[in-house]
């Protein structure tokens, strides 16, 4: 099984050093090939645009990327995708972008399992009514509060379409529209999740069960925007899905559409800076010194990376750049990649994701690595080999798992300017400390399964920073707080002519959030795209 994105039997990309430059000129340049960049490029390609995709990594796809070790294969960012059943808008959007070439498979019912320190277990079922009914049976004394809470979830969800549409307009129109909205309805983007829980009278352990999925967007209830939290509820109301063939199939499909329209996908193509004339962007300068011109340039590199690494020193002093810089990054996560040999399905592993909590307190990001008695507060376990029906474990029954948790950036900051694979013995010793702690926790929670473990490799936030230029290794982008969503600088348009942004920082998070952001940016460039968002 190849972990590389392919198109028509060949690699769907060309390394910069092998590009002869003859495939231009291009209508649009997109910097970054994550889900937002690829979706923007594919949307424009569907209307005949020639798009140049530039990726600084040696494989395109961002967090749809896969990698392998000794016959094992892992995804780096795709674990569960909601709203992929036929007829849902995100599914229709993905089908349009990919020419219906991506097949999604259900993770089953339930699709998420949660285990708490007192032995209590909770499952997220497919279906909104089943989910709400299960909560009312567990907490009959809070039935009215549960009803109020989910009524509020629906109200927040309904407010999101106009919120995201305004992201494509000028800042003046956005401010006017947002002001009018705030008079007519509650600003759920400006409220925290904890505030809404309080208003609905939710108490005790129910508060935790209603917020267990904060790990999907990376911001705790005390700090998260309730609208983002509500959209995550809605996103998974009808279950979760996974791309057949692994996450690279998404990149293969979207990049293929771009290539078929005459576009180009270049890897190891770091952008040194934007080319400008006054306050107009005219193209980019690449790491090999070549300059490529285009009428439009889109940054899908993340808002902070755009401000910190792409724009000029003069532009960094602008109000727009300052507003972007003020927003904090989401917490960096690390992932322990696991390789098993044996029948792991008979030992408790499944296509469903398994969340292990060490506390009922959902307002803790990090655990203390220096405290030998402290367990990681949250471990998110996924088994991609059991999700993909095309996966062949072979005669040795090779299977894969992933375990995700959070640690502060301060643990890794001293190596932020070092090269991948060349960080020295002190860094390797830190990795081993973390690995040993995580393995001990997993062996305690799943002892029989862990007996089948034969290989493991830790990915730290430095990997995300090195391969994707994510600020502080934050794969969720900017934190999902009211300050972030009320920041008018985060939009598809920038103050500079012919220069746009896309990706999770512009709209919402995750695969569908990034895809929607890509299409919103494409719609900003070509109004014909808007109809596909309805």
């Amino acid at each position: 099984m190849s972990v590389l994105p392919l198109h028509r039997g060949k690699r769907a990309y060309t390394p910069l050093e092998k590009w002869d430059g003859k495939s231009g000129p291009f209508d649009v340049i997109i910097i970054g090939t994550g889900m937002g960049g690829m979706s923007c490029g594919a949307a424009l390609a569907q209307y005949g645009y020639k798009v140049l995709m530039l990726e600084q990594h040696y494989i395109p796809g961002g967090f749809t990327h896969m990698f392998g070790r000794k016959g094992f294969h892992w995804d780096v960012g795709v674990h569960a995708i909601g709203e992929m059943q036929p007829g849902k808008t995100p599914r229709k959007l993905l089908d349009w972008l990919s020419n219906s070439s991506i097949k999604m498979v259900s993770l089953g019912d339930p699709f998420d399992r949660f285990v708490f320190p007192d032995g209590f277990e909770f499952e997220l079922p497919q279906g909104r009514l089943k989910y709400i009914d299960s909560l009312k049976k567990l907490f009959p004394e809070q039935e009215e509060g549960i009803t109020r809470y989910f009524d509020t979830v629906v109200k927040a969800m309904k407010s999101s379409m106009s919120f995201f549409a305004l992201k494509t307009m000028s800042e003046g129109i956005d401010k006017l529209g947002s002001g009018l909205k705030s008079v007519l309805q509650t600003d759920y983007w400006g409220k925290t999740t904890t505030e809404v829980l309080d208003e609905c009278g939710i108490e005790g352990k129910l508060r935790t069960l209603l917020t267990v999925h904060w790990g999907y967007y990376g911001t705790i209830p005390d700090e998260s925007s309730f609208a983002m939290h509500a959209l995550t509820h809605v996103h998974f109301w009808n279950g979760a899905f996974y791309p057949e063939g692994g996450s690279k199939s998404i990149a293969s499909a979207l990049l293929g559409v771009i290539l078929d329209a005459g576009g180009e996908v270049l890897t190891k193509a770091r952008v040194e800076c934007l080319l400008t004339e006054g306050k107009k962007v005219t193209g980019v300068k690449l790491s090999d010194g070549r300059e490529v011109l285009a009428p439009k340039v889109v940054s899908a590199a993340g808002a902070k990376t755009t401000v910190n690494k792409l724009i000029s020193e003069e532009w960094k002093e602008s109000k727009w750049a300052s507003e972007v810089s003020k927003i904090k990054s989401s917490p960096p996560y690390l992932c322990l990649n696991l390789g098993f040999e044996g029948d792991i399905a008979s030992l408790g592993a499944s296509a469903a994701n398994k969340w292990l909590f060490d506390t009922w307190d959902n307002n803790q990001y990090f655990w203390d690595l220096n405290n030998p008695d402290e367990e990681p507060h949250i471990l998110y376990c996924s088994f991609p080999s059991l999700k993909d029906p095309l996966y062949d474990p072979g005669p040795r029954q090779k299977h894969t798992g992933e375990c995700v948790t959070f640690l502060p950036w301060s643990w890794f900051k001293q190596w932020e300017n070092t090269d991948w694979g060349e960080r020295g013995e002190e860094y390797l010793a830190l990795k081993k400390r973390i690995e040993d702690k995580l393995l001990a926790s997993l062996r305690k929670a799943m002892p029989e399964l862990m007996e089948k473990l034969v290989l493991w490799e830790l990915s730290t936030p430095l990997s995300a920073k090195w391969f994707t230029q994510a600020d502080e290794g934050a794969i969720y982008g900017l934190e999902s707080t009211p300050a972030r969503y009320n920041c008018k600088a985060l939009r598809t348009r920038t103050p500079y002519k012919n220069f746009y942004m896309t990706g999770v920082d512009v709209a919402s998070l995750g695969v569908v959030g990034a895809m929607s952001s890509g299409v919103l940016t494409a719609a900003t460039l070509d109004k014909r795209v808007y109809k596909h968002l309805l």
Side-chain angles (χ1 to χ4, degrees), residues 76 275 291:
V76 299
L275 300 177
E291 296 183 351

Side-chain angles (χ1 to χ4, degrees), residues 327 478-487 490 504-507 509:
I327 308 298
L478 300 175
E479 61 180 3
S480 289
T481 59
R484 175 254 175 94
Y485 290 108
N486 285 327
C487 176
L490 296 171
V504 293
D505 292 337
V506 169
L509 306 182

Side-chain angles (χ1 to χ4, degrees), residues 439-487:
L439 289 171
S441 296
L442 292 172
R443 289 183 176 117
K444 179 180 177 181
M446 302 177 286
E448 293 181 340
L449 173 65
M450 292 300 288
E451 288 180 3
K452 301 297 182 182
L453 184 70
V454 297
L455 184 147
W456 59 91
E457 181 176 331
L458 182 71
S459 169
T460 75
L462 292 167
S463 298
K465 183 171 178 60
W466 174 260
F467 289 113
T468 70
Q469 298 295 303
D471 182 66
E472 297 186 352
I475 77 163
Y476 296 105
L478 300 175
E479 61 180 3
S480 289
T481 59
R484 175 254 175 94
Y485 290 108
N486 285 327
C487 176

